[in-house]
Amino acid sequence: MKRLGRALVAPATAAGVAILISALALLLSGNSPLRAFAEMWDNISSAESIVLIINRAVPYYIAGVAVAVGFKMNLFNIGANGQYILAALVAAWAGTQVSLPAPLHVTFILVVAVFVGAAWASITAILKVTRNVNEVISSIMLNFIATGLVAFLLAEPFREPDSASLIAQTEKLAASATIPQLNRLIEWTGVDLGNANLYGFLIFAIALGIGYHLLLNRSRFGYELRLTGINPDAARAAGVNPNAMILKTIILSGAIAGLIGMHSLLADPQFHRYGDQFPRNLGFTGIALALLGRNSPVGVALAALIWAMIERGTQPLSLLGIPQEIGVIMQGSFLLSAIIAYEVVRRRNEARTTAEAARLITQNTDADSNETVEAQVTR
Amino acid sequence: MDHHPPSPSPGQVDDTSAPTPAIELRNIVKRFPGVVANDGVNLTVRPGTIHAIVGENGAGKSTLMKTLYGAHQPDEGTIRVNGRERVFRSPRDAIDDGIGMVFQHFMLARNFTVWENIVLGQEPGNALRLDIGTARRRISELGQAYGLTVRPDALISDLGVGEKQRCEILKVLYRGANILILDEPTAVLVPQEVDELFASLRELTAAGSTVIFISHKLDEVLRHADAITVIRAGRTVTEIDDPATVNARQLAEMMVGSELPIPELRESTVTDEVVLDIAVLSVVDTDEFTDRRIVDSVSIEVHRGEIVGIAGVEGNGQSELVSAIMGLVASTGTITVAGEAIDELSTLERKALGIGHIPEDRQQDGLALAFELWENIMLGHHRRPPMSSGIWIDRNRARQRATEVVERFDVRTPGIDVPAFALSGGNQQKLVVGREMTAEPQVLVASHPTRGVDVGAQAVIWDILRDARHHGLATLLVSADLEELIGLSDRLLVMLRGRIVAELNPREITPSSLGSYMTGAALATAPPAPDTGEATS
């Protein structure tokens, strides 16, 4: 409990600072912060709003986890964006090329997306391992290439055939490629969702989170991943091959990134195909969320929910004449102050842990004077 | 002579008669998490002299030089340059005071030419025009004045080690330094280059500059230095104003010290069963463009119940020998453990076969400081039972093992959930040693097992090693602590320039005579007497 309290000090402070800064921005632009905040609260507090927030947060979460896997090893996968749009497009097209019963159809599309995401990321990984190309640079450039490639594929090969419309989009997926909504499940527990639909990809996101936790904290691979992130030299001395770890981690990150677009593609009836309206920048949001959630499975989930909440809350502000962009200011200041607060708290904790350990040791052991002196001096 | 109080002040230097010291450090203290690197160091350097700082590895020499160069600030103590007290917030401040540092690892842009590297950051000309002519002329003037010959238009990547070093020195001189610090300048040079280097340094001091160099090669220190400061365990042990008054043996004694508890073995437990058999092992340098053999056809047999000590000045191939045994660098030759060839095995497979490894730098290679103790216990053992089953880590077993190590090896810690950075250096090392020993290895490769730890932890670690020997462990012990080597080893091998040059009986040798074998002096001046050992090279 105490530990949880300590973990929340930094984000709580950051939230306070973010609210303060956005209040200031509202005042400067001649609007009443109180009115804006009240309106935001109204927009996020109903059961319907909560469903919409969760729906929005699901792809954010997956993006956050995809980036977080890399961060755990000090690898900056900026390429998540390119990986997921390419994966979503190829999967959307591949899904129209087969006819399968529902569970298999969904599985097939997911496998294609994961595979494409991993394959695209493997370019970055191979360049880094064989030619020592910085993954930030190569993945940024691969984002541009992915965007171009998507535009090309959408212009001709993957474009909906016999389409009268001018819009470049893939053919709509068959009904069998749908992940069902969770409304019945929720309403069965007695909660009324009103007009909102809770999309079923949430289950996959939760499973991914649990899988990420088990992988990171319980598996050998996760141990080696964290070890390599903390101290690559010690990892090498312990027999862990750093290049193999880089390869595996970037590809894993890309595989997860492949899933980012699947929420929209398979669970959101608005899409069910890849087209102009398909969300395009979720990979970058993932970077912010991984930072905000400190790469932890739960932390990133909370960050994704807060992100979605701010967006949902500020959406209708423009109807009141308040610029909706206040949401972006809020997100930005929250992220920035959270990162600063994390670092401050980390340093304080480190100093405190060291001092506390030294104190406990000197208390517990009365004899050896050398040791005692050293413990004190070290502090 | 061998045991001076920590801070003797240079009493004979009188302010009125002697020149103001170029550099004067008083009671410098510098702490890092887990280590006190400098614990009251004094240093007085007369202007126009070549001043040597000697001490074992880990004695705090490099930390001291970084303090003087402004790379970090001391926690306590004062720095005076030409009599005036200074606080260096950054190397910039030190450069402004005329202090220049030549690092052991060169800081040169490989794809730039010599002159480009030298003027980098101090380019003559104006914002729009680089005055190449002036740059070249000044560089060749400086070079000629001090015998530092370089080819200004050659690419750094095409240069040999000696030329790169001259380039570094010119870079410092170009910035107007008149106090030069050289960190182990001869470590990378061949003997002829060493002579050239000191000839140039002599020219510099003749022109009024002051040179400070770090070394642990005692023969060259005695040959070239005007004054010597000896540092041991973070303290100044002795300041010698006239090197003619000491010899290499005395200097070695001061470096090593003799107040430490003397490690001793009881009865011999050596058997005739060879456990570790290294045959004509060689490691080729891949960093440089040479095919220099860092480890050159080394053959060693270690028996059950035996400790074989490897003595040698740092950088003569000991680290690479250890890395080759652990499978961390490519090597030729064969290594056999209990009859099984391990050449094709990975590091983890070697550890699984029962080779324990105490790395020479615990914080860099032996621990993940941010991991908690129980997580560190798995390091290198995490792929096999009991630490893991299948693809999963066995947290309970790891925690049990951590508790066991903490109790058995006297690791002083509030608990096993503490991150490793919170422990003192000695306790970190006990954790590493304990981790390797509880895995019950047949062979232990121990690199500097008590480096930088306090006397209490040192005694514990020596006990552990002796105990394991008694129970049949075959140990290869690499150390710079001569007392430790002589006290613990059943047999001593001396390594020089990658080769085993002598096999000595530790019962019949003193630290100072061992020291002369390590520098090669004993081999050059007189062949080893039959009663002290035999050279195998």
Side-chain angles (χ1 to χ4, degrees), chain A residues 217-220 223-224 226-227 230-231 233-234 236-239 350 354 357 360-361 365 371 374 377-378, chain B residues 31 34 36 328 348 363-365 367 371 375 379-380 382-383 388 390-391 393 395 412 414 421 424 427 454:
Chain A
N217 298 316
R218 294 286 191 273
S219 79
R220 285 187 337 201
Y223 178 80
E224 293 184 359
R226 288 182 296 132
L227 172 64
I230 290 175
N231 186 345
D233 289 321
R236 215 174 87 79
E350 209 159 278
T354 310
L360 285 171
I361 293 161
T365 57
E371 197 59 47
E374 202 199 1
V377 171
T378 313
Chain B
R31 307 182 186 98
V36 189
L328 295 168
L348 276 171
Q363 298 203 343
Q364 186 182 310
D365 299 323
L367 293 167
F371 269 1
E375 290 178 297
L379 205 68
H382 61 276
R383 285 258 191 100
S388 65
I391 63 163
I393 292 293
R395 290 157 72 94
R412 311 253 167 103
F421 65 72
S424 69
N427 285 307
D454 56 280

Side-chain angles (χ1 to χ4, degrees), chain B residues 40 114 428:
Chain B
V114 169
Q428 289 175 352

Side-chain angles (χ1 to χ4, degrees), chain B residues 276 322 325-326 355-359 443-447 474-476 478:
Chain B
L276 174 66
V322 169
I325 298 172
M326 296 316 300
I355 310 183
H357 179 208
I358 301 172
V443 175
L444 178 70
V445 182
S447 284
T475 304
L476 190 68
V478 175

Side-chain angles (χ1 to χ4, degrees), chain A residues 293-349:
Chain A
R294 311 192 67 186
N295 309 323
S296 115
V298 177
V300 177
L302 292 176
L305 285 169
I306 290 170
W307 219 247
M309 206 165 76
I310 295 175
E311 283 173 0
R312 167 74 191 159
T314 50
Q315 232 165 24
L317 286 184
S318 48
L319 297 177
L320 298 177
I322 301 172
Q324 194 184 320
E325 280 67 31
I326 196 69
V328 180
I329 294 181
M330 218 177 221
Q331 288 174 332
S333 49
F334 185 41
L335 177 62
L336 205 59
S337 38
I339 290 169
I340 295 168
Y342 287 150
E343 183 59 18
V344 171
V345 168
R346 188 190 66 79
R347 286 190 194 176
R348 270 200 13 216
N349 280 350

Side-chain angles (χ1 to χ4, degrees), chain A residues 252-301:
Chain A
L252 177 65
S253 176
I256 298 172
L259 291 171
I260 297 172
M262 294 302 102
H263 171 81
S264 305
L265 189 66
L266 301 176
D268 187 343
Q270 185 194 334
F271 296 106
H272 243 62
R273 56 156 55 113
Y274 189 97
D276 278 358
Q277 301 299 310
F278 204 85
R280 280 165 186 275
N281 289 313
L282 298 174
F284 297 117
T285 309
I287 297 171
L289 299 178
L291 286 170
L292 201 53
R294 311 192 67 186
N295 309 323
S296 115
V298 177
V300 177

Side-chain angles (χ1 to χ4, degrees), chain A residues 58 61-62 103 106-107 110 179-180 182 199-211 259 262 266-267:
Chain A
V58 163
Y61 180 60
I62 294 166
V106 168
T107 312
L110 290 175
I179 294 174
L182 300 173
Y199 299 147
F201 205 64
L202 174 65
I203 303 287
F204 289 83
I206 293 171
L208 177 72
I210 295 171
L259 291 171
M262 294 302 102
L266 301 176

